Short mmCIF file of all heavy atoms in Angstrom, two decimals:
data_model
loop_
_atom_site.label_atom_id
_atom_site.label_comp_id
_atom_site.label_asym_id
_atom_site.label_seq_id
_atom_site.Cartn_x
_atom_site.Cartn_y
_atom_site.Cartn_z
N MET A 1 -5.15 7.35 -8.49
CA MET A 1 -4.07 6.88 -7.67
C MET A 1 -4.07 7.59 -6.32
O MET A 1 -3.70 6.98 -5.32
CB MET A 1 -2.74 7.06 -8.38
CG MET A 1 -2.51 6.06 -9.50
SD MET A 1 -0.86 6.09 -10.21
CE MET A 1 -1.01 7.47 -11.32
N GLN A 2 -4.49 8.84 -6.31
CA GLN A 2 -4.53 9.57 -5.04
C GLN A 2 -5.57 8.96 -4.10
O GLN A 2 -5.35 8.91 -2.89
CB GLN A 2 -4.82 11.05 -5.29
CG GLN A 2 -3.71 11.78 -6.02
CD GLN A 2 -2.41 11.78 -5.25
OE1 GLN A 2 -2.38 11.89 -4.03
NE2 GLN A 2 -1.31 11.65 -5.97
N ILE A 3 -6.67 8.47 -4.65
CA ILE A 3 -7.70 7.83 -3.83
C ILE A 3 -7.16 6.55 -3.23
O ILE A 3 -7.37 6.27 -2.05
CB ILE A 3 -8.97 7.57 -4.66
CG1 ILE A 3 -9.61 8.90 -5.05
CG2 ILE A 3 -9.95 6.68 -3.91
CD1 ILE A 3 -10.72 8.79 -6.06
N THR A 4 -6.43 5.78 -4.02
CA THR A 4 -5.83 4.54 -3.52
C THR A 4 -4.83 4.85 -2.43
O THR A 4 -4.80 4.19 -1.39
CB THR A 4 -5.14 3.78 -4.67
OG1 THR A 4 -6.11 3.49 -5.68
CG2 THR A 4 -4.51 2.49 -4.18
N LEU A 5 -4.00 5.85 -2.64
CA LEU A 5 -3.01 6.25 -1.65
C LEU A 5 -3.70 6.65 -0.35
O LEU A 5 -3.31 6.21 0.74
CB LEU A 5 -2.16 7.40 -2.19
CG LEU A 5 -1.08 7.94 -1.28
CD1 LEU A 5 -0.08 6.87 -0.91
CD2 LEU A 5 -0.38 9.12 -1.94
N GLN A 6 -4.73 7.45 -0.45
CA GLN A 6 -5.46 7.89 0.73
C GLN A 6 -6.11 6.71 1.44
O GLN A 6 -6.09 6.64 2.67
CB GLN A 6 -6.51 8.93 0.34
CG GLN A 6 -7.21 9.55 1.53
CD GLN A 6 -8.19 10.62 1.13
OE1 GLN A 6 -8.67 10.65 -0.01
NE2 GLN A 6 -8.50 11.51 2.04
N ALA A 7 -6.67 5.78 0.72
CA ALA A 7 -7.28 4.61 1.33
C ALA A 7 -6.24 3.76 2.05
O ALA A 7 -6.51 3.26 3.16
CB ALA A 7 -7.99 3.77 0.27
N LEU A 8 -5.08 3.59 1.47
CA LEU A 8 -4.03 2.81 2.13
C LEU A 8 -3.61 3.46 3.44
O LEU A 8 -3.38 2.78 4.44
CB LEU A 8 -2.82 2.66 1.20
CG LEU A 8 -3.01 1.73 0.01
CD1 LEU A 8 -1.84 1.88 -0.97
CD2 LEU A 8 -3.14 0.29 0.46
N VAL A 9 -3.54 4.77 3.45
CA VAL A 9 -3.16 5.49 4.65
C VAL A 9 -4.25 5.39 5.71
O VAL A 9 -3.99 5.02 6.86
CB VAL A 9 -2.86 6.98 4.33
CG1 VAL A 9 -2.70 7.79 5.60
CG2 VAL A 9 -1.62 7.08 3.46
N LEU A 10 -5.47 5.69 5.33
CA LEU A 10 -6.57 5.76 6.30
C LEU A 10 -7.04 4.39 6.79
O LEU A 10 -7.34 4.22 7.96
CB LEU A 10 -7.75 6.53 5.71
CG LEU A 10 -7.49 8.01 5.40
CD1 LEU A 10 -8.69 8.63 4.71
CD2 LEU A 10 -7.13 8.77 6.66
N GLN A 11 -7.10 3.42 5.90
CA GLN A 11 -7.66 2.12 6.28
C GLN A 11 -6.61 1.14 6.79
O GLN A 11 -6.94 0.25 7.58
CB GLN A 11 -8.40 1.51 5.09
CG GLN A 11 -9.63 2.30 4.70
CD GLN A 11 -10.34 1.72 3.49
OE1 GLN A 11 -9.99 0.68 2.96
NE2 GLN A 11 -11.38 2.42 3.04
N PHE A 12 -5.37 1.30 6.33
CA PHE A 12 -4.36 0.30 6.69
C PHE A 12 -3.13 0.89 7.37
O PHE A 12 -2.20 0.17 7.70
CB PHE A 12 -3.92 -0.47 5.43
CG PHE A 12 -5.05 -1.22 4.80
CD1 PHE A 12 -5.67 -0.73 3.65
CD2 PHE A 12 -5.51 -2.41 5.33
CE1 PHE A 12 -6.71 -1.41 3.06
CE2 PHE A 12 -6.56 -3.10 4.74
CZ PHE A 12 -7.17 -2.61 3.61
N GLY A 13 -3.12 2.20 7.57
CA GLY A 13 -2.02 2.83 8.27
C GLY A 13 -0.69 2.83 7.53
O GLY A 13 0.37 2.90 8.15
N VAL A 14 -0.74 2.78 6.22
CA VAL A 14 0.47 2.79 5.41
C VAL A 14 1.15 4.16 5.51
O VAL A 14 0.48 5.19 5.46
CB VAL A 14 0.14 2.46 3.93
CG1 VAL A 14 1.33 2.69 3.02
CG2 VAL A 14 -0.35 1.04 3.81
N ASP A 15 2.45 4.17 5.68
CA ASP A 15 3.22 5.40 5.70
C ASP A 15 3.42 5.88 4.26
O ASP A 15 4.13 5.25 3.48
CB ASP A 15 4.57 5.16 6.37
CG ASP A 15 5.45 6.38 6.39
OD1 ASP A 15 4.94 7.51 6.16
OD2 ASP A 15 6.65 6.23 6.65
N ALA A 16 2.81 6.99 3.93
CA ALA A 16 2.87 7.51 2.57
C ALA A 16 4.01 8.49 2.35
O ALA A 16 4.15 9.02 1.26
CB ALA A 16 1.54 8.16 2.21
N ALA A 17 4.83 8.72 3.36
CA ALA A 17 5.93 9.68 3.22
C ALA A 17 6.84 9.35 2.03
O ALA A 17 7.24 10.28 1.31
CB ALA A 17 6.73 9.76 4.51
N PRO A 18 7.19 8.08 1.79
CA PRO A 18 8.05 7.79 0.65
C PRO A 18 7.42 8.13 -0.71
O PRO A 18 8.12 8.26 -1.70
CB PRO A 18 8.31 6.28 0.74
CG PRO A 18 8.04 5.94 2.16
CD PRO A 18 6.97 6.89 2.61
N ALA A 19 6.11 8.29 -0.75
CA ALA A 19 5.42 8.57 -2.01
C ALA A 19 5.32 10.06 -2.30
O ALA A 19 4.91 10.44 -3.40
CB ALA A 19 4.03 7.96 -1.99
N ARG A 20 5.71 10.88 -1.35
CA ARG A 20 5.61 12.33 -1.58
C ARG A 20 6.47 12.72 -2.77
O ARG A 20 7.62 12.35 -2.88
CB ARG A 20 6.07 13.10 -0.34
CG ARG A 20 5.06 13.06 0.75
CD ARG A 20 5.38 14.05 1.84
NE ARG A 20 4.47 13.83 2.95
CZ ARG A 20 4.84 13.52 4.17
NH1 ARG A 20 6.11 13.44 4.48
NH2 ARG A 20 3.94 13.33 5.11
N GLY A 21 5.88 13.47 -3.65
CA GLY A 21 6.60 13.94 -4.83
C GLY A 21 6.56 12.98 -6.01
O GLY A 21 6.99 13.35 -7.09
N LEU A 22 6.06 11.77 -5.79
CA LEU A 22 5.97 10.83 -6.91
C LEU A 22 4.75 11.15 -7.75
O LEU A 22 3.70 11.53 -7.22
CB LEU A 22 5.89 9.39 -6.40
CG LEU A 22 7.08 8.86 -5.62
CD1 LEU A 22 6.82 7.42 -5.20
CD2 LEU A 22 8.35 8.97 -6.42
N ARG A 23 4.86 10.95 -9.03
CA ARG A 23 3.76 11.20 -9.97
C ARG A 23 3.77 10.11 -11.03
O ARG A 23 4.79 9.48 -11.29
CB ARG A 23 3.92 12.55 -10.66
CG ARG A 23 3.95 13.74 -9.75
CD ARG A 23 2.55 14.21 -9.38
NE ARG A 23 2.58 15.43 -8.60
CZ ARG A 23 2.46 15.45 -7.28
NH1 ARG A 23 2.34 14.36 -6.61
NH2 ARG A 23 2.46 16.60 -6.63
N GLY A 24 2.66 9.92 -11.65
CA GLY A 24 2.56 9.04 -12.81
C GLY A 24 3.03 7.62 -12.55
O GLY A 24 2.63 6.98 -11.59
N LEU A 25 3.90 7.14 -13.43
CA LEU A 25 4.35 5.76 -13.37
C LEU A 25 5.13 5.46 -12.09
O LEU A 25 5.06 4.34 -11.57
CB LEU A 25 5.21 5.42 -14.59
CG LEU A 25 4.48 5.42 -15.93
CD1 LEU A 25 5.47 5.17 -17.07
CD2 LEU A 25 3.38 4.38 -15.95
N GLU A 26 5.86 6.45 -11.57
CA GLU A 26 6.61 6.23 -10.34
C GLU A 26 5.66 6.00 -9.17
O GLU A 26 5.88 5.12 -8.35
CB GLU A 26 7.54 7.41 -10.07
CG GLU A 26 8.68 7.48 -11.06
CD GLU A 26 9.09 8.90 -11.35
OE1 GLU A 26 8.38 9.85 -10.98
OE2 GLU A 26 10.15 9.06 -11.98
N LEU A 27 4.60 6.79 -9.10
CA LEU A 27 3.61 6.62 -8.04
C LEU A 27 2.89 5.29 -8.20
O LEU A 27 2.65 4.57 -7.23
CB LEU A 27 2.61 7.77 -8.03
CG LEU A 27 1.51 7.70 -6.98
CD1 LEU A 27 2.09 7.59 -5.57
CD2 LEU A 27 0.58 8.90 -7.10
N GLU A 28 2.56 4.95 -9.42
CA GLU A 28 1.89 3.68 -9.69
C GLU A 28 2.75 2.49 -9.25
O GLU A 28 2.26 1.55 -8.62
CB GLU A 28 1.55 3.55 -11.17
CG GLU A 28 0.80 2.28 -11.50
CD GLU A 28 0.46 2.17 -12.98
OE1 GLU A 28 0.86 3.04 -13.78
OE2 GLU A 28 -0.22 1.19 -13.33
N ALA A 29 4.04 2.54 -9.55
CA ALA A 29 4.95 1.47 -9.15
C ALA A 29 5.05 1.39 -7.63
O ALA A 29 5.04 0.30 -7.05
CB ALA A 29 6.33 1.69 -9.76
N TRP A 30 5.11 2.53 -6.96
CA TRP A 30 5.18 2.55 -5.50
C TRP A 30 3.90 1.95 -4.91
O TRP A 30 3.97 1.13 -3.98
CB TRP A 30 5.40 3.98 -5.00
CG TRP A 30 5.63 4.05 -3.53
CD1 TRP A 30 6.82 3.94 -2.88
CD2 TRP A 30 4.63 4.23 -2.52
NE1 TRP A 30 6.61 4.03 -1.52
CE2 TRP A 30 5.28 4.22 -1.28
CE3 TRP A 30 3.25 4.40 -2.54
CZ2 TRP A 30 4.59 4.37 -0.07
CZ3 TRP A 30 2.57 4.55 -1.34
CH2 TRP A 30 3.24 4.54 -0.13
N LEU A 31 2.77 2.36 -5.43
CA LEU A 31 1.49 1.83 -4.95
C LEU A 31 1.41 0.31 -5.14
O LEU A 31 0.97 -0.41 -4.23
CB LEU A 31 0.32 2.50 -5.65
CG LEU A 31 0.00 3.93 -5.24
CD1 LEU A 31 -1.01 4.54 -6.19
CD2 LEU A 31 -0.48 4.00 -3.81
N ASN A 32 1.83 -0.16 -6.29
CA ASN A 32 1.80 -1.61 -6.55
C ASN A 32 2.66 -2.36 -5.56
O ASN A 32 2.25 -3.41 -5.04
CB ASN A 32 2.24 -1.91 -7.98
CG ASN A 32 1.20 -1.53 -9.00
OD1 ASN A 32 0.01 -1.46 -8.71
ND2 ASN A 32 1.65 -1.24 -10.22
N GLN A 33 3.83 -1.83 -5.27
CA GLN A 33 4.72 -2.49 -4.32
C GLN A 33 4.11 -2.50 -2.92
O GLN A 33 4.12 -3.53 -2.24
CB GLN A 33 6.08 -1.78 -4.28
CG GLN A 33 7.04 -2.41 -3.30
CD GLN A 33 8.37 -1.69 -3.24
OE1 GLN A 33 8.64 -0.80 -4.03
NE2 GLN A 33 9.19 -2.06 -2.29
N VAL A 34 3.57 -1.38 -2.49
CA VAL A 34 2.96 -1.29 -1.16
C VAL A 34 1.75 -2.20 -1.07
O VAL A 34 1.55 -2.88 -0.05
CB VAL A 34 2.59 0.17 -0.84
CG1 VAL A 34 1.74 0.27 0.40
CG2 VAL A 34 3.86 1.00 -0.67
N GLU A 35 0.93 -2.24 -2.10
CA GLU A 35 -0.23 -3.12 -2.10
C GLU A 35 0.18 -4.58 -2.01
O GLU A 35 -0.44 -5.36 -1.27
CB GLU A 35 -1.08 -2.89 -3.34
CG GLU A 35 -1.82 -1.57 -3.33
CD GLU A 35 -2.48 -1.25 -4.66
OE1 GLU A 35 -2.06 -1.80 -5.71
OE2 GLU A 35 -3.41 -0.44 -4.66
N ASP A 36 1.22 -4.97 -2.73
CA ASP A 36 1.72 -6.35 -2.67
C ASP A 36 2.23 -6.69 -1.27
O ASP A 36 1.92 -7.76 -0.73
CB ASP A 36 2.84 -6.58 -3.69
CG ASP A 36 2.35 -6.57 -5.13
OD1 ASP A 36 1.12 -6.67 -5.34
OD2 ASP A 36 3.20 -6.47 -6.03
N GLU A 37 2.99 -5.77 -0.67
CA GLU A 37 3.50 -6.00 0.68
C GLU A 37 2.37 -6.10 1.70
O GLU A 37 2.39 -6.96 2.58
CB GLU A 37 4.47 -4.89 1.07
CG GLU A 37 5.76 -4.92 0.29
CD GLU A 37 6.62 -3.69 0.50
OE1 GLU A 37 6.26 -2.81 1.31
OE2 GLU A 37 7.68 -3.61 -0.14
N LEU A 38 1.39 -5.22 1.59
CA LEU A 38 0.25 -5.24 2.49
C LEU A 38 -0.53 -6.53 2.33
O LEU A 38 -0.92 -7.16 3.33
CB LEU A 38 -0.66 -4.03 2.22
CG LEU A 38 -1.89 -3.91 3.09
CD1 LEU A 38 -1.54 -3.81 4.56
CD2 LEU A 38 -2.72 -2.71 2.64
N PHE A 39 -0.74 -6.98 1.11
CA PHE A 39 -1.45 -8.23 0.86
C PHE A 39 -0.73 -9.40 1.52
O PHE A 39 -1.35 -10.24 2.18
CB PHE A 39 -1.58 -8.46 -0.65
CG PHE A 39 -2.32 -9.70 -1.01
CD1 PHE A 39 -3.70 -9.76 -0.92
CD2 PHE A 39 -1.64 -10.83 -1.44
CE1 PHE A 39 -4.39 -10.93 -1.25
CE2 PHE A 39 -2.31 -11.99 -1.78
CZ PHE A 39 -3.69 -12.04 -1.68
N GLU A 40 0.58 -9.45 1.38
CA GLU A 40 1.37 -10.51 2.00
C GLU A 40 1.26 -10.47 3.52
O GLU A 40 1.12 -11.51 4.17
CB GLU A 40 2.83 -10.42 1.57
CG GLU A 40 3.05 -10.85 0.14
CD GLU A 40 4.51 -10.77 -0.27
OE1 GLU A 40 5.40 -10.91 0.60
OE2 GLU A 40 4.77 -10.57 -1.47
N GLN A 41 1.32 -9.27 4.09
CA GLN A 41 1.19 -9.13 5.54
C GLN A 41 -0.18 -9.62 6.02
O GLN A 41 -0.29 -10.33 7.02
CB GLN A 41 1.37 -7.68 5.97
CG GLN A 41 2.77 -7.18 5.87
CD GLN A 41 2.87 -5.69 6.16
OE1 GLN A 41 1.86 -5.01 6.37
NE2 GLN A 41 4.08 -5.17 6.15
N LEU A 42 -1.22 -9.23 5.31
CA LEU A 42 -2.58 -9.61 5.71
C LEU A 42 -2.78 -11.12 5.56
O LEU A 42 -3.40 -11.75 6.42
CB LEU A 42 -3.62 -8.85 4.89
CG LEU A 42 -3.67 -7.35 5.16
CD1 LEU A 42 -4.59 -6.67 4.15
CD2 LEU A 42 -4.09 -7.04 6.57
N CYS A 43 -2.24 -11.70 4.50
CA CYS A 43 -2.35 -13.15 4.32
C CYS A 43 -1.58 -13.89 5.41
O CYS A 43 -2.06 -14.91 5.93
CB CYS A 43 -1.85 -13.56 2.94
SG CYS A 43 -2.98 -13.13 1.61
N SER A 44 -0.41 -13.38 5.76
CA SER A 44 0.39 -14.01 6.81
C SER A 44 -0.34 -13.98 8.14
O SER A 44 -0.34 -14.95 8.88
CB SER A 44 1.73 -13.30 6.96
OG SER A 44 2.52 -13.51 5.83
N SER A 45 -0.97 -12.87 8.45
CA SER A 45 -1.69 -12.77 9.72
C SER A 45 -2.90 -13.69 9.73
O SER A 45 -3.25 -14.26 10.77
CB SER A 45 -2.09 -11.34 10.01
OG SER A 45 -3.07 -10.86 9.10
N LEU A 46 -3.53 -13.90 8.58
CA LEU A 46 -4.65 -14.85 8.51
C LEU A 46 -4.15 -16.27 8.72
O LEU A 46 -4.79 -17.08 9.41
CB LEU A 46 -5.37 -14.74 7.17
CG LEU A 46 -6.27 -13.54 6.98
CD1 LEU A 46 -6.83 -13.52 5.57
CD2 LEU A 46 -7.39 -13.51 7.99
N ASN A 47 -3.03 -16.62 8.12
CA ASN A 47 -2.46 -17.96 8.28
C ASN A 47 -2.04 -18.24 9.71
O ASN A 47 -2.15 -19.35 10.18
CB ASN A 47 -1.27 -18.15 7.33
CG ASN A 47 -1.69 -18.27 5.89
OD1 ASN A 47 -2.81 -18.66 5.59
ND2 ASN A 47 -0.79 -17.92 4.99
N GLU A 48 -1.57 -17.20 10.42
CA GLU A 48 -1.18 -17.37 11.81
C GLU A 48 -2.38 -17.63 12.70
O GLU A 48 -2.27 -18.28 13.73
CB GLU A 48 -0.43 -16.12 12.29
CG GLU A 48 0.94 -15.98 11.66
CD GLU A 48 1.60 -14.67 12.00
OE1 GLU A 48 1.03 -13.88 12.78
OE2 GLU A 48 2.70 -14.42 11.49
N GLN A 49 -3.55 -17.14 12.31
CA GLN A 49 -4.76 -17.33 13.10
C GLN A 49 -5.29 -18.74 12.98
O GLN A 49 -6.00 -19.21 13.85
CB GLN A 49 -5.84 -16.34 12.66
CG GLN A 49 -5.51 -14.92 13.02
CD GLN A 49 -6.57 -13.95 12.51
OE1 GLN A 49 -7.58 -14.34 11.95
NE2 GLN A 49 -6.33 -12.67 12.71
N ASP A 50 -4.96 -19.44 11.91
CA ASP A 50 -5.48 -20.81 11.69
C ASP A 50 -4.86 -21.80 12.62
O ASP A 50 -3.96 -21.85 13.21
CB ASP A 50 -5.21 -21.26 10.25
CG ASP A 50 -6.11 -20.51 9.27
OD1 ASP A 50 -7.12 -19.93 9.72
OD2 ASP A 50 -5.79 -20.50 8.07
#
């Protein structure tokens, strides 16, 4: 999960401050939510380009 968190920060500029101190299932839930939001943002930007 730490690798995923680092990749989100470095590759997509995600603010990881809200994840500080999270561990285990809480971190996993936060990551899932952020990944879903990022996916929606990226899909929206692709649709706008069409």
